[in-house]
Amino acid sequence: MQRILIVSDDEFLRQMVCRTLCDLDAEVKSTPCNTEMEQLCRRMLFDLVIVLQAAPFLCGRDPIGTLRPMGLRRPLFYVVSWQQSEQTVLSLLESGIDQYMTFPVNLQRLRAKVAHDLIRQTE
Amino acid sequence: MNTFAMILSVVAALVAAGLPIAEATDRLRQNRRERHEVLRNRYLHLLMLVLHTGTHEIPRFPLLRRRGAWLLLTETLAGIVAATYGLDTAQLRRIVTVHNLEKKLLRRIRLSRGYRRARHISLLASLPIDTSTTTRLARYSQSRNRAVKFQVLLSRMATEPAMTLRLIEEYEAPLSGCEMAEIMVLLRRGILPIAYEPLLRSPSPNLRRIGMGIVKQFSIEEAAHILRELAAGDPEPELSREALYTLCAMHCPLKGRQIHTGIGRLSVLQRRALMRYMVHESYSPDLLGELFGAAGHSYAEALAQTHKRTLA
């Protein structure tokens, strides 16, 4: 079974995205903080990590470099945040994230993208 | 001395009696918060289920008769609507109608005051309501509380998207930065038109402000010539300054007579603030020297050399 991790300090948003993805054929875990995200990612290999804030990727650290094992394309990183300025989006894409979406987000579209990427990973 | 000892013992007795009461109140409050959290999660689960399955049945929300539970349901609904788009509003509208949330919220708005009223209006604006409800909010558009007035504007914009520009035009107070940010969120929902030119050339200062917000958000460099005109000759000095900031944010070349005129309209403090912003946006000290004189050049160099911003 594939694994998805959802990271956000906002419990409401975290629960909302969790419940959107809960009927996919994947195990959905969630965590409120980035430290725990790093610990979880080191302990098990997730197929997809959805981070509902841009800050962890803009603080000068390289979470993707440290959390994605060498030579693997997993986990995929999705970022969903309220930030929309061109510079922020470029910085996020340069940091290596695979998908960026802004709030307000279309939940059906997010779900479809996640399902599509999970299917692609199994192929 | 005796009186002092008596006062001291009375105070000690009061503290001794008060502490357990305060602790008990705190525990009760915490329990209620935890209960609300559980209930909110339950409501969220039910609402997401309704939205994803597309069922026409209205779910039975547990403990809805409890005090404050309807407000929790309203907040959950508003939270979902605020963070998403493309939802089945008809389904949400049915939930609002069946559980009478609109009427309860209107009553709460009527009974509350100040920021509490503004918060309730913003909740109501997030719900899928019809125009008749927003007309009932019209009486609050003349409120002395700015937050209330603004939330009424937002609620009317949400229910009458075709009237958005007229509503902003009629809004008398100049929009603040926070208010602009809230309006920009509506832009992402498609409520605001994206055509920036009529907005920038509008006689209404608020619409010009919105136009600048759109230009800044999408970095529309084609609008730079209009921004230069506004920087040089906008009747509102605040908007003239905003035009300069927008040009800086888009990293447009800042040369020409219009820019010099715009800078000439700034006070000393405003010039300094603009200089700081320009350095932050990586404009060269030479350009600052050209615009602000030798003092500008040295100020820019001093700023760049500080450790506040590491230049690549």
Side-chain angles (χ1 to χ4, degrees):
Chain A
M1 191 184 245
Q2 290 172 303
R3 292 195 188 104
I4 302 171
L5 177 65
I6 296 158
V7 188
S8 172
D9 52 3
D10 185 330
E11 201 195 336
F12 184 83
L13 292 180
R14 202 170 65 236
Q15 293 292 335
M16 192 179 76
V17 177
C18 274
R19 298 199 193 287
T20 306
L21 306 177
C22 64
D23 58 338
L24 287 175
D25 188 22
E27 184 187 348
V28 183
K29 280 184 180 291
S30 71
T31 171
C33 71
N34 302 318
T35 331
E36 208 173 313
M37 166 181 86
E38 290 178 10
Q39 283 169 359
L40 276 170
C41 282
R42 285 202 186 96
R43 223 182 304 145
M44 56 176 87
L45 184 60
F46 284 94
D47 295 274
L48 178 65
V49 178
I50 303 176
V51 187
L52 303 179
Q53 54 199 2
F57 301 90
L58 301 174
C59 63
R61 295 174 69 195
D62 179 21
I64 296 174
T66 50
L67 298 179
R68 192 180 280 167
M70 284 281 273
L72 267 185
R73 293 202 61 198
R74 282 195 297 171
L76 294 176
F77 277 89
Y78 279 21
V79 176
V80 188
S81 92
W82 289 95
Q83 305 266 359
Q84 210 183 23
S85 76
E86 191 188 357
Q87 205 160 352
T88 311
V89 178
L90 278 176
S91 308
L92 285 168
L93 292 173
E94 278 168 6
S95 73
I97 64 161
D98 299 279
Q99 187 72 245
Y100 181 68
M101 292 170 123
T102 58
F103 281 117
V105 69
N106 187 323
L107 292 176
Q108 275 87 7
R109 192 176 290 176
L110 175 70
R111 195 181 167 283
K113 271 189 191 295
V114 170
H116 175 74
D117 275 342
L118 290 182
I119 290 168
R120 224 172 48 175
Q121 283 201 339
T122 52
E123 283 168 1
Chain B
M1 190 64 192
N2 268 353
T3 323
F4 179 69
M6 274 170 67
I7 292 172
L8 210 64
S9 52
V10 166
V11 169
L14 281 175
V15 169
L19 275 176
I21 293 171
E23 200 184 333
T25 318
D26 192 48
R27 204 177 307 134
L28 279 175
R29 204 172 287 158
Q30 202 176 335
N31 284 350
R32 198 178 59 191
R33 216 174 290 142
E34 279 166 12
R35 253 198 334 267
H36 277 187
E37 210 48 60
V38 172
L39 210 53
R40 193 194 305 273
N41 277 341
R42 188 86 191 108
Y43 290 167
L44 178 66
H45 175 68
L46 288 168
L47 286 169
M48 295 307 284
L49 214 64
V50 169
L51 290 170
H52 287 304
T53 53
T55 174
H56 288 281
E57 276 177 37
I58 305 293
R60 200 186 146 271
F61 293 98
L63 305 172
L64 201 56
R65 283 174 190 278
R66 259 197 192 178
R67 194 171 148 251
W70 69 268
L71 194 59
L72 266 182
L73 176 62
T74 313
E75 282 171 353
T76 314
L77 258 169
I80 295 174
V81 174
T84 58
Y85 73 93
L87 296 173
D88 181 6
T89 44
Q91 186 69 335
L92 296 179
R93 171 96 197 114
R94 259 199 301 277
I95 294 172
V96 170
T97 317
V98 166
H99 293 294
N100 231 352
L101 299 180
E102 214 171 298
K103 271 190 185 163
K104 286 174 183 166
L105 211 45
L106 276 170
R107 184 170 176 274
R108 195 52 86 86
I109 289 168
R110 205 171 59 241
L111 296 177
S112 54
R113 292 277 175 275
Y115 286 99
R116 206 171 281 241
R117 177 179 278 170
R119 183 173 161 269
H120 290 137
I121 294 175
S122 91
L123 274 180
L124 189 65
S126 309
L127 298 180
I129 48 169
D130 53 26
T131 42
S132 64
T133 309
T134 41
T135 44
R136 292 175 74 178
L137 290 178
R139 54 192 273 219
Y140 302 114
S141 60
Q142 299 306 319
S143 167
R144 274 179 298 173
N145 188 309
R146 188 183 172 130
V148 171
K149 242 178 4 184
F150 181 68
Q151 290 304 333
V152 172
L153 170 74
L154 282 190
S155 66
R156 292 189 69 189
M157 280 166 71
T159 48
E160 304 165 67
M163 300 276 285
T164 303
L165 296 183
R166 220 193 80 193
L167 289 170
I168 296 174
E169 204 172 349
E170 284 169 2
Y171 189 71
E172 289 157 13
L175 294 169
S176 71
C178 292
E179 290 168 348
M180 277 290 295
E182 287 206 46
I183 289 179
M184 283 297 140
V185 173
L186 296 182
L187 180 79
R188 297 185 201 179
R189 294 179 178 280
I191 289 177
L192 268 180
I194 207 161
Y196 62 89
E197 206 165 333
L199 292 175
L200 287 175
R201 297 207 186 276
S202 160
S204 155
N206 276 340
L207 285 184
R208 289 204 295 280
R209 209 169 264 128
I210 299 275
M212 281 187 218
I214 292 171
V215 168
K216 196 173 181 175
Q217 183 145 13
F218 296 105
S219 294
I220 307 169
E221 286 175 17
E222 288 80 6
H225 69 282
I226 311 178
L227 289 176
R228 284 200 182 88
E229 285 169 25
L230 292 177
D234 196 286
E236 298 270 335
E238 187 59 35
L239 280 179
S240 160
R241 195 162 70 95
E242 193 56 44
L244 285 170
Y245 274 89
T246 311
L247 283 167
C248 290
M250 295 197 298
H251 303 113
C252 290
L254 293 181
K255 283 183 179 173
R257 189 180 45 81
Q258 289 166 320
I259 299 291
H260 279 278
T261 318
I263 289 172
R265 297 175 76 186
L266 302 178
S267 69
V268 180
L269 284 177
Q270 286 172 341
R271 277 184 195 206
R272 284 218 150 200
L274 181 63
M275 275 194 262
R276 280 196 297 276
Y277 189 70
M278 284 177 74
V279 174
H280 182 269
E281 293 296 331
S282 311
Y283 279 95
S284 76
D286 288 345
L287 178 71
L288 267 90
E290 208 175 289
L291 293 173
F292 300 98
H297 190 279
S298 54
Y299 186 61
E301 278 195 334
L303 270 179
Q305 279 163 11
T306 58
H307 296 288
K308 287 175 189 163
R309 183 170 164 79
T310 316
L311 295 175

